[in-house]
Amino acid sequence: DLTLEKSSQDKSGAFDLGLVRSHAIAQWSPPSNQLNHPSSSCLTDDGNQRIMLPLVASSELSVSFPQLLGVLLQLMANNMASLRKLSLKAFLQVVNVDPTLMAQPSVRKEVAKCFHDEAISVREAAISLVGDYVLQSPNLAAAFHAPLLERMVDKGISVRKRAVKIFRDILLSNPSYGGRAMAMHCMLQRADDRKEDDGVRDLVHETFHTLWFNGRAFEKGKSSLLLATDISPQGKAMTKAQLYCREAAKQMVEVVSVSGSPDFLTSLVKGLLFGFNEGDKDKKTAERKRRQEDSRNQCNTLVLSLVELLLSFEETRAHNDDDGKELVALLSTLSVFSQAYPELLVPHIDTLLPYLKGDNGAKKHETAIVSTVSSIVSLSSSHFSSAELARLTGGSLPTDLVSITYKFPPSAASSAVEALAKLANHPDASAGSIQEKKLFNMAVQFYSYLLKNKDKSNDFAKMKKSMRDNVRRALSVLGSICRFYECRDGVDCHNLDPYGFSIITDVKQLQFSGNVFSSACFALFKDYLDKEDEATKCLALRAMNGVFISRPRVVLAAEQLGIITAVMSEAAPPSVQIESLRCWRDILLAEEKRIESGAAKAKMQAQKDISLSNRISGDQDGDSSLSGSILTKHVDRLYELTLSKDGKVRHMIIDLIGHLLRQGLINPMATVPHLLAVQGDVKSPQTRSLALKLLINEGEKRPDMLRQRICAGLKQAFFFQKEVYPHDNNGSPGVTALLTRTEGPIVMTDTIFDAVIKESAIRNKRAQRQGLLKGIISLFEKDPESENTDADQLPLLAFASEILAHLPYTSLNDPLFIVYNSSCITALDGQSIINHFAELLGGDLCDPNSEEDDIERAAKKNKRKFDPKEFELEPKSAEFGQLCVNACRILPLLQLKDFLRRAYNLSEARITEYVPSEKERIHEKGVSIGDSIPAFSCNFEPVFDGQQNINWNNAAKIYTAFRILMRDEADDLHVDTEANKSPKRSGLKRKRGDSVTEVTSHASPRFLLSRMSN
């Protein structure tokens, strides 16, 4: 009935596309009774699809789609960040309809570039685009796994939050995602970072709560972790709760295996169980409490699942190295719950005890296995009932722990000693129990060995390796025993006699009670500390540290004996210095843990001889402050160690200073300059990074501190490099304020303080930036107490000028501020030095620097041999040389001003009209040094040698350069005619009583210089 041909004059048929279109459109038109001849034909759905496909394919939109897509891709690389962001959002709408577009190489290439865009909004839009794409196509998520992981540490909070959300959605929708372990590890790192935004941290916590501790989810059968199978490896039917916990346990083990340490997971589990110290005044308090309760209810099932995984692993393991690594991960995950919820491990101790035999078929991992299981026993021991304790200690447990101390390295031996000591100190353990006897017999045996060999040599490095190893083991085990075993009647008196420690030669007199054994060990350790070889000194000091931790008053005795001073002195070998600093760190951490865990309070309350009034009024735990007080007495020596030429010593002292700052045992105002100085440790990036982290922490607490101490820090950084890096291989000074890095073909120049400025709040606050710059420029000001400049200060000034030249400025206001303040100094002091030269040389006092003089011409002509006799300068050598030194104080500022003009394209008109009080101009923000500008360098040859004899060649060069730059300064001078007007006409308002001088102090320094010249 539908005619697709139309008649023509030649009666030939022709296809009419317009008629087909009209009919296709008519299919959607409502029926009309007014039509005389309604169509009786109707197309099926298949017919409609076949007709519409060529219609859409031939439309203008379809034809131009590739071009439109190309425009969007081009806009992703546009110079305007807003266009780049909008192009990504527009492209997201297209990808939502056709996700296959993301599979095209050209598309993925442009999107990948946006991941590293300088604008935070563009990076956020890019990962949002990729996030929606990978959620629609989970199988292709691996293609963008690495770029998304990089954005987890992005500087933009919104970018990090979006990356966490994407991984959360991936893990919830696809629990078997191949990159889940690394993604979870990165999220745990973000949550553990104390500087992380609260929103990001809460999002991470909520993600892991949903993944691992969401009990309500699996009860309703909605958890993402539920799999299709419900049969356990043993063939038993598994409930939804068991399935949920099994998969959660697997994920935990994978995360620990990837992390290499259970620390991040331990922090998360403790926080989910007991809170993250967020406070109870925000809106999410109820939600967090519900999350804590839910997590505690889940822990028991998770531990059961981990034990089931361990048993399943043992049934299928192949006893190779890979199995050993997996076994360590399983046991380490169980140790997480032993630290967070130790009573849950008590029913499963019997499952873990066989691993203490040390024969687990994983030779490379045996130490980690026995150490981890020993720690689990130690942490769970306080929850053993008396019957459980008797049953365990009556078996092979004490013997296995003792065997570990003889077979394994110090780390495992220390864990075994701690477990045995905790069993011996258990409240239900009787005096003379099996575990205490085992511990005492082992202690006597190691003590006897050290006593027997202490006089055999003064240098154990010359002894047999077997003897050295045995001495090492004996010192390590005895130190651990002294640290972990608590004597029931071992309270030290307040006036402990430092000379009351002596070696007991008759081992029959040794006993734990009354700290007899501990005191004898301290005397024995002191004897080994006096040996000549460094290894024995370090081992003895480490063993002695066990006594210090358990008995803080012995630290005071060691201080009185001079031990503390000796091991930290300049005469001590670097290895001994490092060990002493590590011991101090362990003491501080152990004391902090003792107080925070409540052990200190429990011990204080257990002292029955103290009345209630004394408990309330007195400090019964005064020993806790002894170690910190003694260490702060040596704070000057700690600062000196930051200048050590040994990189390991510097890193260790910065680590210790970080703990001292956190515990409030050291003055931040005095410490910040030394941390700033370590930013000059260019050969030790890890030490610089650690010091930077501490600086950022202090800057957040005290925003003005960095600005106030930057001048002292710059001086300290200069002296640090001068001391640590005196000369390079070519004999040139090793002091440098600049660092170079490459970005493609471009070589970028940064200062050693760039990271401090960028990471702190100084960069975003104009007042703090100007205060910081003013503090550095003040180094160039004339000393009011001396007419002349000290030549020893000139390298420091050159160092400071390089810092000023390359700091990361955010606006033209910053270099203009430097030029302004530099001109204030050069206008006054520079002209004064020119006048003094004229007086000394008999020049024109009215216009002393109007043109090139004879000395300049001679210096240019004979660059390598300047003859002072030609100008009768020899009798005036001291005065001329000192004036050249004075000029060297001004020269860096003159060179710096010239560099900033060229680097930032500063016009003379802009420099002349600038005043510090003006507002920042929008178009002058976001500045940077041009790529073609070479790095600023300011180096002067010394005017005087070591015998104070003048070097005429160097002096002539400085004289010539100084006069040329001062003439250029005068040539560039333009008198501000507006400033010459009265304050009323110039628009500068002044209060009643203000002088004209006060008003003109806000004018350009060029105007001031012109007034002086006139």
Side-chain angles (χ1 to χ4, degrees):
D1 296 332
L2 180 63
T3 303
L4 299 181
E5 297 180 354
K6 68 178 182 178
S7 301
S8 61
Q9 294 179 355
D10 55 357
K11 305 297 182 180
S12 61
F15 179 75
D16 188 353
L17 181 60
L19 184 59
V20 175
R21 288 176 175 170
S22 300
H23 175 73
I25 294 174
Q27 300 305 306
W28 288 274
S29 301
S32 176
N33 297 327
Q34 300 177 358
L35 294 177
N36 297 327
H37 302 284
S39 176
S40 60
S41 62
C42 182
L43 295 179
T44 63
D45 291 341
D46 181 63
N48 287 331
Q49 183 177 3
R50 294 175 63 183
I51 291 176
M52 291 303 299
L53 188 61
L55 289 177
V56 173
S58 61
S59 65
E60 295 182 0
L61 178 62
S62 299
V63 172
S64 61
F65 180 76
Q67 288 80 6
L68 294 175
L69 187 61
V71 171
L72 286 178
L73 295 179
Q74 289 179 355
L75 288 176
M76 291 181 189
N78 193 275
N79 293 330
M80 296 181 61
S82 58
L83 283 179
R84 298 196 299 272
K85 179 184 72 173
L86 292 174
S87 64
L88 285 166
K89 290 187 175 182
F91 192 75
L92 173 60
Q93 304 302 319
V94 180
V95 172
N96 287 336
V97 178
D98 186 9
T100 58
L101 286 175
M102 288 295 293
Q104 297 184 13
S106 59
V107 173
R108 293 171 61 172
K109 180 180 179 182
E110 293 300 326
V111 173
K113 289 181 180 178
C114 294
F115 270 69
H116 303 279
D117 195 278
E118 61 181 8
I120 294 176
S121 59
V122 177
R123 297 199 299 273
E124 182 183 1
I127 65 172
S128 297
L129 168 62
V130 172
D132 288 358
Y133 160 63
V134 297
L135 289 178
Q136 293 185 27
S137 305
N139 295 332
L140 300 176
F144 289 94
H145 178 76
L148 285 173
L149 283 180
E150 292 179 2
R151 294 308 99 203
M152 294 280 284
V153 293
D154 194 278
K155 292 184 178 180
I157 295 176
S158 59
V159 179
R160 297 199 301 272
K161 186 177 292 187
R162 184 58 183 157
V164 172
K165 287 181 178 179
I166 290 173
F167 277 119
R168 178 198 63 185
D169 295 340
I170 292 175
L171 293 172
L172 290 176
S173 61
N174 182 21
S176 59
Y177 173 59
R180 65 182 185 180
M182 183 56 69
M184 291 177 178
H185 168 66
C186 292
M187 286 193 286
L188 286 175
Q189 282 184 314
R190 300 315 316 150
D192 195 61
D193 189 351
R194 60 176 299 273
K195 286 190 61 185
E196 186 54 85
D197 177 73
D198 290 340
V200 178
R201 188 181 292 109
D202 284 341
L203 185 60
V204 173
H205 293 163
E206 183 61 34
T207 298
F208 283 107
H209 173 260
T210 303
L211 285 171
W212 295 342
F213 297 95
N214 191 5
R216 293 181 178 86
F218 74 78
E219 287 175 1
K220 298 177 181 179
K222 297 181 180 180
S223 173
S224 63
L225 290 176
L226 299 182
L227 303 181
T229 179
D230 58 351
I231 303 299
S232 68
Q234 290 78 16
K236 298 179 181 180
M238 300 181 67
T239 64
K240 291 181 178 180
Q242 291 173 332
L243 282 169
Y244 175 90
C245 290
R246 186 190 66 179
E247 293 302 318
K250 286 182 180 179
Q251 290 185 359
M252 288 182 176
V253 174
E254 290 176 4
V255 170
V256 172
S257 179
V258 170
S259 303
S261 170
D263 295 341
F264 291 138
L265 184 59
T266 302
S267 177
L268 173 79
V269 174
K270 284 184 176 180
L272 289 175
L273 291 177
F274 309 110
F276 293 94
N277 299 321
E278 304 99 335
D280 55 357
K281 296 182 180 181
D282 57 357
K283 299 179 181 179
K284 297 184 178 181
T285 302
E287 179 183 350
R288 287 167 178 160
K289 289 183 177 179
R290 176 194 59 77
R291 195 167 61 194
Q292 293 173 21
E293 181 181 357
D294 208 12
S295 300
R296 284 193 288 268
N297 295 334
Q298 255 326 85
C299 279
N300 187 36
T301 313
L302 284 171
V303 170
L304 287 171
S305 299
L306 286 170
V307 174
E308 287 292 333
L309 286 177
L310 181 62
L311 295 175
S312 300
F313 166 78
E314 287 294 345
E315 293 176 358
T316 59
R317 65 179 298 192
H319 296 279
N320 52 30
D321 291 338
D322 292 337
D323 282 350
K325 185 177 180 180
E326 186 176 353
L327 178 58
V328 172
L330 278 165
L331 295 173
S332 298
T333 309
L334 281 170
S335 72
V336 169
F337 289 93
S338 70
Q339 297 179 61
Y341 216 152
E343 54 265 39
L344 297 180
L345 273 298
V346 173
H348 309 289
I349 286 295
D350 289 331
T351 305
L352 302 175
L353 291 184
Y355 293 103
L356 294 176
K357 301 291 183 182
D359 186 16
N360 301 299
K363 188 175 182 181
K364 293 182 179 180
H365 304 281
E366 287 292 352
T367 300
I369 292 171
V370 297
S371 179
T372 302
V373 176
S374 297
S375 298
I376 293 174
V377 173
S378 176
L379 293 167
S380 306
S381 61
S382 59
H383 299 277
F384 291 164
S385 64
S386 57
E388 184 75 8
L389 177 68
R391 184 182 67 82
L392 292 174
T393 54
S396 62
L397 176 58
T399 303
D400 292 338
L401 293 173
V402 170
S403 299
I404 291 173
T405 63
Y406 288 96
K407 296 179 181 180
F408 289 92
S411 59
S414 178
S415 298
V417 169
E418 182 180 7
L420 192 58
K422 291 289 182 65
L423 293 173
N425 290 130
H426 194 279
D428 294 331
S430 60
S433 60
I434 298 175
Q435 56 270 28
E436 184 175 356
K437 289 180 179 179
K438 291 279 186 181
L439 183 65
F440 182 74
N441 292 335
M442 177 179 63
V444 170
Q445 186 171 3
F446 282 117
Y447 181 91
S448 301
Y449 184 84
L450 292 179
L451 180 65
K452 172 183 165 183
N453 295 282
K454 71 181 183 67
D455 296 325
K456 287 189 175 181
S457 175
N458 203 35
D459 185 0
F460 278 88
K462 300 178 180 178
M463 303 299 288
K464 295 181 180 180
K465 183 179 182 300
S466 58
M467 176 175 285
R468 294 199 306 269
D469 292 342
N470 291 336
V471 168
R472 177 186 181 186
R473 184 178 300 278
L475 288 171
S476 175
V477 172
L478 285 181
S480 298
I481 293 173
C482 293
R483 175 178 179 177
F484 295 116
Y485 182 80
E486 296 181 8
C487 298
R488 293 179 174 86
D489 55 350
V491 180
D492 290 320
C493 58
H494 290 281
N495 53 349
L496 187 64
D497 184 8
Y499 300 98
F501 299 93
S502 60
I503 300 175
I504 297 178
T505 56
D506 185 5
V507 295
K508 294 182 180 180
Q509 298 180 7
L510 293 174
Q511 57 181 356
F512 278 149
S513 61
N515 284 328
V516 174
F517 181 80
S518 178
S519 298
C521 285
F522 177 77
L524 188 59
F525 298 155
K526 182 177 179 299
D527 198 61
Y528 274 87
L529 184 63
D530 295 333
K531 301 297 181 182
E532 294 180 358
D533 58 300
E534 297 179 18
T536 303
K537 284 178 175 291
C538 293
L539 292 170
L541 184 58
R542 193 177 307 165
M544 194 178 288
N545 191 50
V547 182
F548 293 157
I549 292 175
S550 62
R551 301 170 60 190
R553 291 199 170 272
V554 181
V555 183
L556 182 59
E559 170 66 14
Q560 294 172 328
L561 292 171
I563 296 175
I564 307 299
T565 303
V567 297
M568 296 174 60
S569 66
E570 191 67 29
S575 60
V576 177
Q577 293 177 354
I578 294 172
E579 189 61 42
S580 66
L581 297 175
R582 185 180 290 112
C583 289
W584 277 120
R585 181 197 63 185
D586 293 344
I587 291 173
L588 295 176
L589 292 178
E591 191 60 35
E592 181 181 27
K593 182 179 179 181
R594 187 178 74 91
I595 294 174
E596 291 184 351
S597 65
K601 182 179 180 180
K603 184 176 181 180
M604 180 180 66
Q605 293 175 346
Q607 298 178 12
K608 301 179 181 180
D609 56 338
I610 300 176
S611 64
L612 179 61
S613 60
N614 288 334
R615 291 180 189 277
I616 297 173
S617 61
D619 181 11
Q620 307 305 325
D621 194 30
D623 290 353
S624 62
S625 61
L626 278 177
S627 300
S629 301
I630 294 171
L631 184 56
T632 53
K633 180 183 176 182
H634 296 273
V635 66
D636 291 336
R637 178 56 187 159
L638 297 181
Y639 292 148
E640 291 176 3
L641 287 173
T642 60
L643 300 176
S644 173
K645 294 185 178 180
D646 190 288
K648 295 180 180 179
V649 174
R650 296 196 301 272
H651 187 273
M652 197 66 228
I653 186 60
I654 296 299
D655 185 26
L656 177 61
I657 286 176
H659 293 292
L660 290 171
L661 285 171
R662 182 171 52 81
Q663 296 184 5
L665 296 175
I666 197 170
N667 183 6
M669 290 291 288
T671 307
V672 164
H674 297 278
L675 296 177
L676 288 169
V678 178
Q679 293 305 297
D681 196 357
V682 295
K683 296 183 180 180
S684 302
Q686 291 183 346
T687 305
R688 287 189 70 220
S689 177
L690 181 58
L692 174 63
K693 182 179 179 181
L694 300 180
L695 284 169
I696 295 172
N697 293 341
E698 293 303 316
E700 291 176 349
K701 299 175 186 176
R702 306 168 184 86
D704 293 333
M705 182 179 297
L706 292 180
R707 175 182 59 81
Q708 295 170 354
R709 304 299 288 162
I710 190 66
C711 189
L714 188 145
K715 292 180 180 179
Q716 196 67 26
F718 171 78
F719 293 117
F720 171 86
Q721 290 192 345
K722 189 176 180 180
E723 180 70 21
V724 176
Y725 307 132
H727 295 88
D728 58 18
N729 295 332
N730 299 324
S732 302
V735 177
T736 176
L738 305 179
L739 302 172
T740 58
R741 55 184 173 85
T742 57
E743 291 186 359
I746 302 174
V747 178
M748 308 294 292
T749 303
D750 301 325
T751 74
I752 58 177
F753 295 128
D754 273 18
V756 179
I757 303 299
K758 292 177 181 178
E759 297 292 339
S760 64
I762 295 178
R763 191 179 190 184
N764 301 323
K765 297 181 179 180
R766 178 183 174 186
Q768 290 196 8
R769 291 200 315 269
Q770 291 187 350
L772 181 144
L773 298 176
K774 184 65 176 176
I776 300 177
I777 296 173
S778 65
L779 294 173
F780 296 87
E781 295 178 353
K782 184 179 178 180
D783 187 357
E785 298 180 358
S786 176
E787 184 68 23
N788 296 319
T789 301
D790 187 357
D792 293 337
Q793 295 296 317
L794 298 182
L796 172 62
L797 298 181
F799 183 83
S801 65
E802 293 179 353
I803 294 288
L804 288 171
H806 288 281
L807 279 175
Y809 300 124
T810 59
S811 169
L812 278 184
N813 196 276
D814 296 330
L816 285 170
F817 183 82
I818 297 174
V819 172
Y820 176 90
N821 286 276
S822 299
S823 297
C824 293
I825 298 176
T826 58
L828 299 176
D829 296 350
Q831 189 62 37
S832 175
I833 296 172
I834 289 290
N835 294 335
H836 283 97
F837 270 122
E839 292 175 0
L840 180 67
L841 303 176
D844 184 2
L845 296 179
C846 295
D847 194 2
N849 195 25
S850 60
E851 60 183 2
E852 186 179 60
D853 64 4
D854 295 336
I855 295 179
E856 292 181 63
R857 286 189 285 271
K860 292 180 180 179
K861 183 178 181 181
N862 301 313
K863 295 183 179 180
R864 296 186 178 181
K865 190 174 182 181
F866 177 79
D867 187 6
K869 297 179 181 179
E870 182 179 351
F871 305 97
E872 299 180 354
L873 289 177
E874 285 188 335
K876 308 172 184 178
S877 61
E879 295 85 353
F880 185 82
Q882 184 58 54
L883 285 176
C884 289
V885 172
N886 295 345
C888 287
R889 176 173 63 88
I890 307 299
L891 267 175
L893 291 179
L894 295 172
Q895 295 178 355
L896 175 64
K897 289 167 60 179
D898 179 66
F899 174 81
L900 292 177
R901 288 193 193 101
R902 292 182 289 105
Y904 293 97
N905 295 320
L906 301 178
S907 65
E908 290 302 321
R910 183 70 183 98
I911 293 175
T912 304
E913 69 180 4
Y914 171 80
V915 290
S917 57
E918 71 178 26
K919 293 183 178 180
E920 291 186 350
R921 303 179 183 182
I922 296 177
H923 68 277
E924 292 182 347
K925 294 184 178 181
V927 298
S928 60
I929 296 180
D931 298 336
S932 60
I933 303 297
F936 178 79
S937 178
C938 181
N939 294 315
F940 300 119
E941 297 295 333
V943 177
F944 296 101
D945 59 15
Q947 287 73 35
Q948 293 301 309
N949 297 321
I950 189 172
N951 186 317
W952 285 107
N953 290 330
N954 295 341
K957 291 179 183 178
I958 293 172
Y959 175 84
T960 302
F962 178 68
R963 284 178 59 87
I964 291 174
L965 289 175
M966 286 299 294
R967 279 199 301 274
D968 293 341
E969 188 82 358
D971 292 341
D972 294 336
L973 177 64
H974 298 285
V975 178
D976 190 350
T977 57
E978 293 295 327
N980 279 318
K981 299 178 182 180
S982 65
K984 182 177 180 180
R985 287 176 292 170
S986 63
L988 294 174
K989 297 182 180 180
R990 60 188 180 95
K991 298 179 181 179
R992 182 180 301 174
D994 288 348
S995 64
V996 176
T997 305
E998 292 173 334
V999 176
T1000 56
S1001 65
H1002 298 283
S1004 169
R1006 296 184 176 281
F1007 167 63
L1008 299 178
L1009 183 57
S1010 67
R1011 291 287 297 270
M1012 291 175 57
S1013 300
N1014 294 335

